[in-house]
Amino acid sequence: MSASVAVYRNIYTEDRFRQAYGTEEQRGRERLSRRLAQRCSCSQVDCAHLLKKRVPVCNWLPKYKLRKWILGDIVAGLTVGIVHIPQGMAFALLTSVAPVYGLYTSFFPVVLYMIFGTGHHVSTGTFAVLSLMTGKVVEQLVPTPLALNSSSPEAAEFEAQRIGVASTVAFLSGIMMLCMCGFQLGFLSTYLSEPIVKAFTSAAAFHVTISQLQSMLGLRLPRYTGAFSLFKTLGSVMENLPHTNVAELAISLLCLAVLVPVKEVNSRFRERLRTPIPVEIITVIIATGVTYAFSLDSRYNIQIVGHIPAGFPKPRLPALETVPEIAADTVAITLVGYAVSVSLAMIYADKHGYSIDPNQELLAHGISNTVSSLFTCFPSSATLATTNILESAGGFTQLAGLFTSLVVLIVLLLIGPLFYFLPKAVLACINVTSLRQMFLLFQDLPDLWRISRIDFMVWLVTWLSVVVLNVDLGLAIGVIFSMMSVICRTQRASCSVLGRAANTEIYRSIHNHNKCYEVPGVKILTYNGPIYYGNRSFFKAEMTELLGLTPEKIRRREKAIKAIEKREREAISTVEQGVADSSFSSKNDLFRTEVSEGEVQAVLIDCSSVIFVDVAGARLFIQMCMECQKIGVRIYLSNCNESVLKILTSSGLMSYINPQHIFVTVHDAVVYIQLQREKPQENNAMVWV
């Protein structure tokens, strides 16, 4: 089916269109004052709205559909709680603190996010990447002594110092998030693009795996930090392979032989399984029982978890004296934790048809980290594995977090001390196998290469930087490289010549559309990017090349125009004296032919793709207008957005260009230019398409 469009209307300049359809300035002021008055007002309705916005549980809990949602939330919450127990203890080892602190971090943030979070399917708690980054800070400030008796008073003091540093990182991270929420800086997470986040998490998985090798092999080695730490750790492990504890190696191999296949079954058949098989907690229970029954810790010198105190920790302030030393690392931890959390929340919100508030997520995670740090917790965030389990197990709302925290609470109050004989090698295996999703991120690379080579390079540079250097430095390099790629793309934006499709008002690049033809005497240009100090020289070079504004051409055209003006003055003088020069007309036409034949008489710049202009860009426009005036070429603009037009006007461009030469569309400008040639005095022209 083919259809046609016919339009018959006036030619609109920007001024004329604003007069006909624009908003009156006074009305705009009244609207602004009304908005300010509404913001400053305080009523019972406003307070209720604010409460529901900042404490979302007050909004969704009264609307909770008990019969429809409660069963799914109970099953999903209990399933995630069972997974949290071994993962919390395992990720505590990554953080270089005792396993019990992983259980605390699996309890307090879950309860707080349930109250303040907006993601219905988000599961918070310990996250491998954040634990690894926090562990690096802990190792720098409180390095592990090679000879330390785990039952000595010095060991207790050593553990207190370590968790003091880790909880201070959580406290400072929470404060940073709360400040970001206060300044409405939720958008900052957008600077961690999807390729950066995926490459970073995939590379961090390698760091986690290498760091767990010593526990899986039963080696007592120092933990390396700083640049090239992955290779230093790997070299140290290879050097000490002869000292491997065979019993711990056997335990690790048995655990991997159980964990890997069962996790693969959970992944492939998650649509058929009502809940995933809780292989981690089963492995933990069996390994603890076997170690206790056969006294493996004393007979084969196996490293075990040791004493896990029952009950809650006493609230205490973190080691605030370490804040200056951890501030820089905490910034990276904060941005990574928030970016991962918001990304996960948005993915599942889009999937299930609801929305989240990024700034409220900042508040939720800020409160979670700040309050949890007072109970000796390390930094927490949304987690990939447990969020996926929560959604696939049938969770509907944040209430699933209540049942998750109940499972962890029971372990803390009653069952925790029973894990005394749990081998650390088992926790290391749980750490490694929990990274399956992160390693699978390599599958995105072929599609990324096909869609965008630049994003592929961002992924690759970030991954290599994190692996070769270290986690935080690699992340910084990835962000800088990503931002530089954006800057380079704006600097090298294309400038093209537009032609008109016959009998239409459609204008497209003649380079890509060979059946679109240039309007005679009019050069229509479009620039696909902003015009600012960073790319003004490239923009000028592109325009100069397309218009042929070389210094020689400008001088030649100036001489020709001056010659015409001189002969016109002589002709006027001759006429005033009563003498007619019969040869003037033919000579003048000869000069005009020299100036105009085959030359551009008007330049129309389509600004529809120019998103912003700074002062340097505005001055460049003025310079171009002056150069075009020297050679007798008029400049026209079209499709300028409000901000671009405001900056150009404020910069004094209207002193060099007629305000009536700024049009709403390209076609308006073209019709006006053509009519001016035929009927220079015609003002009320119409557009017919």
Side-chain angles (χ1 to χ4, degrees), residues 70-261:
I70 189 63
L71 181 60
D73 283 341
I74 290 175
V75 173
L78 295 177
T79 304
V80 171
I82 292 171
V83 174
H84 263 310
I85 296 164
Q87 278 199 1
M89 292 191 290
F91 291 159
L93 294 184
L94 281 178
T95 317
S96 297
V97 296
V100 68
Y101 300 115
L103 295 178
Y104 298 152
T105 310
S106 299
F107 175 76
F108 292 102
V110 175
V111 175
L112 292 166
Y113 186 83
M114 181 190 70
I115 299 171
F116 296 100
T118 58
H120 298 182
H121 300 84
V122 173
S123 173
T124 57
T126 56
F127 182 44
V129 176
L130 288 191
S131 296
L132 180 70
M133 297 176 74
T134 307
K136 191 204 79 160
V137 180
V138 172
E139 289 288 345
Q140 285 178 340
L141 297 185
V142 191
T144 306
L146 292 179
L148 181 67
N149 187 353
S150 59
S151 60
S152 64
E154 291 81 6
E157 178 62 26
F158 173 73
E159 285 295 341
Q161 290 177 4
R162 288 200 148 190
I163 190 57
V165 173
S167 60
T168 305
V169 173
F171 179 81
L172 186 57
S173 177
I175 294 297
M176 287 180 180
M177 288 187 183
L178 292 175
C179 292
M180 289 168 66
C181 175
F183 290 105
Q184 301 290 293
L185 298 179
F187 68 90
L188 287 178
S189 65
T190 58
Y191 289 103
L192 294 177
S193 63
E194 183 178 336
I196 290 177
V197 173
K198 288 187 174 182
F200 171 76
T201 53
S202 177
F206 279 86
H207 280 272
V208 172
T209 302
I210 297 300
S211 70
Q212 296 304 290
L213 286 178
Q214 56 178 312
S215 296
M216 295 169 67
L217 298 174
L219 300 174
R220 277 73 168 172
L221 302 175
R223 186 165 172 177
Y224 295 96
T225 60
F228 312 107
S229 58
L230 184 142
F231 301 103
K232 292 176 183 177
T233 303
L234 189 59
S236 180
V237 169
M238 297 298 291
E239 185 179 349
N240 288 274
L241 275 180
H243 305 293
T244 299
N245 187 318
V246 179
E248 290 194 89
L249 176 60
I251 291 173
S252 299
L253 292 176
L254 286 172
C255 288
L256 291 175
V258 173
L259 290 169
V260 173

Side-chain angles (χ1 to χ4, degrees), residues 354-369:
Y354 62 90
S355 61
I356 66 161
D357 181 357
N359 283 301
Q360 180 61 27
E361 288 295 294
L362 271 175
L363 179 67
H365 290 288
I367 292 175
S368 295
N369 279 287

Side-chain angles (χ1 to χ4, degrees), residues 25-67:
E25 188 177 355
Q26 185 63 31
R27 193 180 303 168
R29 287 202 192 100
E30 290 176 0
R31 190 176 301 159
L32 177 61
S33 61
R34 193 184 311 118
R35 285 203 303 267
L36 289 174
Q38 289 175 350
R39 287 288 181 90
C40 297
S41 64
C42 182
S43 64
Q44 187 175 357
V45 175
D46 293 331
C47 291
H49 176 73
L50 181 63
L51 180 65
K52 290 180 179 180
K53 183 179 179 181
R54 293 307 177 198
V55 188
V57 68
C58 298
N59 184 35
W60 60 261
L61 191 58
K63 303 174 185 176
Y64 191 84
K65 299 177 182 178
L66 188 65
R67 293 184 178 180

Side-chain angles (χ1 to χ4, degrees), residues 218-446:
L219 300 174
R220 277 73 168 172
L221 302 175
R223 186 165 172 177
Y224 295 96
T225 60
F228 312 107
S229 58
L230 184 142
F231 301 103
K232 292 176 183 177
T233 303
L234 189 59
S236 180
V237 169
M238 297 298 291
E239 185 179 349
N240 288 274
L241 275 180
H243 305 293
T244 299
N245 187 318
V246 179
E248 290 194 89
L249 176 60
I251 291 173
S252 299
L253 292 176
L254 286 172
C255 288
L256 291 175
V258 173
L259 290 169
V260 173
V262 176
K263 278 181 169 286
E264 192 65 27
V265 169
N266 283 340
S267 175
R268 293 196 176 188
F269 300 99
R270 63 179 180 180
E271 300 293 335
R272 301 182 185 179
L273 295 172
R274 183 66 182 87
T275 60
I277 301 171
V279 62
E280 291 96 342
I281 193 65
I282 293 173
T283 304
V284 165
I285 293 172
I286 293 174
T288 303
V290 170
T291 304
Y292 171 73
F294 295 97
S295 303
L296 298 182
D297 58 321
S298 57
R299 293 174 63 182
Y300 298 104
N301 196 26
I302 288 176
Q303 297 182 77
I304 59 174
V305 167
H307 176 61
I308 296 179
F312 284 110
K314 294 180 180 180
R316 64 177 184 181
L317 283 175
L320 299 180
E321 66 276 4
T322 61
V323 166
E325 299 172 85
I326 66 172
D329 292 298
T330 306
V331 171
I333 292 171
T334 301
L335 291 178
V336 170
Y338 175 62
V340 171
S341 299
V342 171
S343 299
L344 275 175
M346 285 183 173
I347 288 171
Y348 288 101
D350 292 341
K351 183 177 180 180
H352 292 275
Y354 62 90
S355 61
I356 66 161
D357 181 357
N359 283 301
Q360 180 61 27
E361 288 295 294
L362 271 175
L363 179 67
H365 290 288
I367 292 175
S368 295
N369 279 287
T370 304
V371 176
S372 299
S373 68
L374 303 177
F375 294 91
T376 59
C377 295
F378 50 86
S380 63
S381 71
T383 64
L384 295 173
T386 55
T387 297
N388 186 34
I389 292 171
L390 179 67
E391 192 262 347
S392 60
F396 288 100
T397 67
Q398 296 95 312
L399 191 65
L402 175 64
F403 302 103
T404 298
S405 58
L406 286 176
V407 173
V408 181
L409 179 63
I410 292 171
V411 173
L412 283 172
L413 296 179
L414 303 173
I415 305 176
L418 299 179
F419 292 121
Y420 180 93
F421 291 97
L422 173 62
K424 289 186 177 181
V426 175
L427 297 180
C429 292
I430 291 173
N431 271 334
V432 172
T433 55
S434 68
L435 304 173
R436 176 182 178 277
Q437 287 178 301
M438 298 184 191
F439 286 119
L440 292 179
L441 293 174
F442 277 100
Q443 295 176 349
D444 296 338
L445 285 179

